[in-house]
Amino acid sequence: MQTTKQEVSDLIKRLPDDCTLEDVQYHLYVLQKIERGLKDVEEGRVYTQEEVEKKMSKWLEK
């Protein structure tokens, strides 16, 4: 398992040389959200398709 510093270093190495600070921030944000989602899955914090449809029905009704 990599440390946070190693993950950031690897990310920066993968980005193009002309990337902006906003590009770096965006990619860090996406990585953080992915890691949070994977942790949720590991800990069983997920919804079935039916549960999602029920929760979203008030926005999806026409």
Side-chain angles (χ1 to χ4, degrees):
M1 188 158 119
Q2 289 186 318
T3 66
T4 301
K5 186 175 179 179
Q6 289 169 326
E7 288 181 44
V8 171
S9 178
D10 289 347
L11 169 66
I12 290 174
K13 289 176 187 173
R14 289 191 307 266
L15 292 173
D17 290 339
D18 63 345
C19 70
T20 65
L21 183 55
E22 287 180 352
D23 294 333
V24 175
Q25 290 173 318
Y26 172 76
H27 283 83
L28 287 172
Y29 171 80
V30 170
L31 285 176
Q32 181 184 34
K33 294 300 180 183
I34 291 170
E35 288 177 6
R36 184 177 294 164
L38 292 173
K39 184 177 178 186
D40 285 344
V41 169
E42 286 176 12
E43 296 178 4
R45 292 189 301 261
V46 295
Y47 294 103
T48 65
Q49 181 69 29
E50 293 79 23
E51 291 170 325
V52 171
E53 288 174 4
K54 185 176 178 181
K55 288 178 176 283
M56 300 297 294
S57 65
K58 62 182 170 185
W59 290 289
L60 299 176
E61 290 179 356
K62 294 182 181 181

